[in-house]
Amino acid sequence: MSDPLLRIVLVGMLLAVLANGLYVEGAEFTHLPDNITVCQGESAILRCNIDDKVTHKAWLNRSNILFTGNDKWSLDSRVTLINNNKSEFSIQIDRVTVYDEGPYTCSFQARDEPRTAHVYLIVQVPAKIINISKDISVNEGSNVNLFCLAIGRPEPTVTWRHLKYGLLSEGEFLDITEIKRQQAEEYECITNNGVSAPDTRKVRITVNYPPVITDVKNMPAQLGKTAILRCEAMSVPTASFEWYKDEKRLMEHDSNMKIQNEKTRSLLMFTNVTAKHFGNYTCFASNRLGSSNSSMLLFRPGAAKNGAAASDFGVFMTMWFLWPALLVLLLKI
């Protein structure tokens, strides 16, 4: 029988076997199909061990014939024959994709009996984030909903992590109810399926809140010397500062006084303290969400002490005059 005719007979036999589901396995192929696992983009080698009794052989992917002997039937340039000898009949698939996954069959004729060996190709895909929430700015007390969508084979896990406080939750969606200012900063989405290194991306949450003045204190000052009053305020957005002496807003018209505003604090600086500088000062911090204020004294050293002494003397005199009345009241009881 001529070679072309043999190939036609072999193909007919293979198609008949596939159509009827009648795979006849030899003793050396009684185990379940072998699994070959590769990562998307890699090469897969499918090996079929034979002996010198084999006369005809072919590789199939489902019902598609890839090779019959040395003859290539597949039109896919990625599929090549790498071994065709008395002991091995093997093919290679380059740049594997998920569409290549599935069963492959090595079918051959030996001792006038058709035999088959089966291989199942598993294609894995590294986990990858394909969509994630954008950076957002919200007011304190708002509800925040973040999402992080990932793909991969096997199905990847998704974990949200606060970069400052560590592990937060698992799942594609992260819901934060009535967010606090301490929950601001960056959140990291991590997806992993064990195929390659985890894929990570970050989302920054900015939490806006009104100013809170955190650091003010009274300050003693010597005549003719320098002095500084400090006002520290935490807020988002950054606060604007104003200074008042009693009821009057300070506008730096005094050559001996300067206001220096920084990111989170304001400094009221006196370069040459005079008697008119002593008194009560109020720091006022504000942003679009609200305001806060706090007062402090610039005083001459000893003034507070003398004031305290006078206050103690007043209390003593009051008790001196009230003592007889209190004694009479106690005697009546």
Side-chain angles (χ1 to χ4, degrees), residues 225-270:
K225 302 294 184 179
T226 61
I228 299 177
L229 294 176
R230 293 177 174 83
C231 179
E232 186 95 18
M234 302 303 297
S235 68
V236 178
T238 303
S240 298
F241 292 93
E242 296 176 359
W243 284 92
Y244 293 82
K245 186 173 189 293
D246 299 324
E247 299 288 331
K248 182 180 179 181
R249 181 180 177 185
L250 302 179
M251 304 298 292
E252 295 192 62
H253 59 273
D254 188 337
S255 60
N256 293 328
M257 184 188 67
K258 179 182 178 182
I259 298 175
Q260 179 176 316
N261 292 326
E262 300 175 356
K263 186 175 182 180
T264 62
R265 69 176 181 173
S266 181
L267 306 177
L268 181 60
M269 299 181 290
F270 304 88

Side-chain angles (χ1 to χ4, degrees), residues 37-327:
T37 301
V38 297
C39 188
Q40 180 175 255
E42 296 179 347
S43 296
I45 297 177
L46 310 182
R47 302 184 187 276
C48 183
N49 297 320
I50 58 177
D51 56 34
D52 57 3
K53 304 298 183 181
V54 172
T55 57
H56 299 89
K57 46 193 175 289
W59 268 106
L60 300 91
N61 176 17
R62 299 181 179 88
S63 61
N64 300 317
I65 301 173
L66 304 177
F67 275 91
T68 59
N70 288 318
D71 293 337
K72 182 177 181 180
W73 285 53
S74 173
L75 299 178
D76 192 337
S77 61
R78 299 175 303 124
V79 182
T80 56
L81 183 66
I82 59 172
N83 279 310
N84 183 15
N85 52 49
K86 293 182 178 180
S87 61
E88 185 178 340
F89 179 50
S90 301
I91 61 173
Q92 178 171 306
I93 306 173
D94 295 323
R95 302 183 304 280
V96 168
T97 71
V98 293
Y99 301 104
D100 297 315
E101 182 169 292
Y104 290 77
T105 302
C106 173
S107 182
F108 54 92
Q109 184 80 13
R111 302 181 187 89
D112 297 326
E113 293 182 1
R115 299 191 179 187
T116 56
H118 307 293
V119 173
Y120 195 94
L121 180 63
I122 299 173
V123 180
Q124 294 184 331
V125 180
K128 181 181 179 181
I129 297 171
I130 58 171
N131 198 5
I132 191 170
S133 297
K134 298 184 181 299
D135 294 347
I136 59 172
S137 177
V138 297
N139 294 341
E140 188 172 37
S142 301
N143 296 332
V144 176
N145 309 106
L146 302 181
F147 67 87
C148 179
L149 307 181
I151 60 172
R153 300 178 66 176
E155 187 74 20
T157 60
V158 176
T159 302
W160 282 98
R161 185 168 68 94
H162 191 290
L163 291 184
K164 184 176 181 180
Y165 299 110
L167 183 64
L168 194 66
S169 68
E170 294 186 358
E172 295 178 331
F173 300 95
L174 175 63
D175 299 324
I176 305 174
T177 303
E178 297 182 355
I179 193 168
K180 305 295 188 295
R181 64 193 69 178
Q182 297 83 1
Q183 295 174 291
E185 302 303 330
E186 286 187 324
Y187 289 76
E188 183 177 47
C189 174
I190 307 167
T191 183
N192 186 28
N193 63 356
V195 176
S196 62
D199 189 23
T200 63
R201 289 176 65 180
K202 299 173 184 175
V203 177
R204 175 175 288 276
I205 299 179
T206 301
V207 178
N208 305 309
Y209 58 93
V212 177
I213 295 178
T214 59
D215 183 24
V216 294
K217 62 181 179 179
N218 298 330
M219 185 63 60
Q222 299 278 359
L223 289 172
K225 302 294 184 179
T226 61
I228 299 177
L229 294 176
R230 293 177 174 83
C231 179
E232 186 95 18
M234 302 303 297
S235 68
V236 178
T238 303
S240 298
F241 292 93
E242 296 176 359
W243 284 92
Y244 293 82
K245 186 173 189 293
D246 299 324
E247 299 288 331
K248 182 180 179 181
R249 181 180 177 185
L250 302 179
M251 304 298 292
E252 295 192 62
H253 59 273
D254 188 337
S255 60
N256 293 328
M257 184 188 67
K258 179 182 178 182
I259 298 175
Q260 179 176 316
N261 292 326
E262 300 175 356
K263 186 175 182 180
T264 62
R265 69 176 181 173
S266 181
L267 306 177
L268 181 60
M269 299 181 290
F270 304 88
T271 56
N272 183 16
V273 174
T274 64
K276 69 175 184 178
H277 291 140
F278 295 123
N280 184 61
Y281 291 83
T282 299
C283 171
F284 185 83
S286 64
N287 66 9
R288 59 181 176 80
L289 297 177
S291 62
S292 179
N293 65 82
S294 186
S295 297
M296 64 205 83
L297 288 174
L298 183 71
F299 63 92
R300 186 178 305 175
K305 182 177 180 181
N306 293 338
S311 177
D312 291 344
F313 178 75
V315 172
F316 172 77
M317 293 302 296
T318 300
M319 293 301 296
W320 176 263
F321 286 109
L322 289 178
W323 175 249
L326 292 172
L327 182 61

